[in-house]
Amino acid sequence: VLAQHHLTAEGGSTPDSTVHPLAADQGRLPQSEIDAALAEYNVGKAEDRQIPAVAAQDVYEDPAQVINVSIDDVIVKKQKMHRTPAPAGTAEATETAEAPSQEKTEVAVPAAPTGADALKQVHNPIAHIQSAAGHYILSGLNAGAVLRILVAFLLCQDVLTTCRIQVFADGERALHRAIAKRLAWIPSLRVILDGYHLKKKCGEYLSMALAGPEIRQEVMRTLMGYLWLGRVEDAIAYLQHFNADSIKNPKWLNKTVEYLERHRPEIPCYALRRALGLR
């Protein structure tokens, strides 16, 4: 399929490509609709809880002209063939006897395995494709392979000329490099850092940066309040001027700031997207 359209074997563009994707300024919601949603959201709210006016200048796709692609790793951990029974009379043995059908679950380590550990985990990047016409799921051996199949799938569906392409992903650098390598030739491409992983990563960093659960919870509430509104600059300033007495490890606070700086272009105004009924 890629060869038929004169693309590279990896799904990249070439000078001879016969594909003409939707332009960057097409497939957007009318500006009047965006401005109205922003104004309605801000009514009656304190200034620090309002969506900034600049958020209306971002790209907001027409739901009827967008292909939403969510990509993430599914990591399966190898289970033991046999488990050693707990000694009779122990709490664990009693618990197992009362609920024999319940399996013990383990949380997979998110980092890519190496060496002997590679035999203990299976990584499957999954791409969930959603549009007004329905949804589809692709799987592959790595992110590059999934994105390559994705390009071929979009070509077969003949949607690149009529729809914007929007990718939701976590902050994994290798994934973002793969997206840039294979999809950057699509003018309407937009990558969004999904809210779940944004909150998860900030929580992980701040748990190592700050002393005490109370202060961590308070900081997370304030930080996510800024980020929900797309106020990345305010979020970064808040962390940079934080009370030093509550910091147990400045390195992780700096890492949080670096993470937000690195993904600033991919952090939208989530509040306005929700107000507009967008994913």
Side-chain angles (χ1 to χ4, degrees), residues 89-155:
T90 64
E92 186 181 345
T94 304
E95 204 172 287
T96 304
E98 292 175 351
S101 63
Q102 294 181 1
E103 290 287 338
K104 180 182 176 183
T105 58
E106 300 180 27
V107 178
V109 180
T114 57
D117 288 338
L119 302 176
K120 298 179 181 179
Q121 294 180 358
V122 175
H123 291 235
N124 284 104
I126 302 294
H128 178 271
I129 307 167
Q130 180 195 44
S131 72
H135 66 92
Y136 202 83
I137 295 176
L138 301 174
S139 176
L141 295 176
N142 52 57
V146 170
L147 290 168
R148 179 173 177 264
I149 300 169
L150 171 66
V151 173
F153 177 85
L154 296 175
L155 290 170

Side-chain angles (χ1 to χ4, degrees), residues 22 24 26-29 58-71 127-131 147 150 154 159-160 162-169 176 179 183 186-194 265-270 273-274 276-279:
L22 196 70
Q26 293 180 304
R28 297 185 178 192
L29 286 175
D58 201 354
V59 176
Y60 297 96
E61 70 281 3
D62 183 341
Q65 285 186 268
V66 68
I67 304 294
N68 289 312
V69 182
S70 301
I71 303 179
H128 178 271
I129 307 167
Q130 180 195 44
S131 72
L147 290 168
L150 171 66
L154 296 175
V159 293
L160 284 175
T162 57
C163 292
R164 303 185 65 85
I165 305 301
Q166 189 145 266
V167 177
F168 295 83
H176 284 259
I179 292 171
L183 303 182
I186 301 174
S188 68
L189 175 70
R190 174 79 191 276
V191 180
I192 288 181
L193 183 64
D194 73 85
E266 298 144 16
I267 299 177
C269 178
Y270 299 99
R273 288 188 60 79
R274 172 170 287 184
L276 290 165
L278 303 178
R279 187 165 185 177

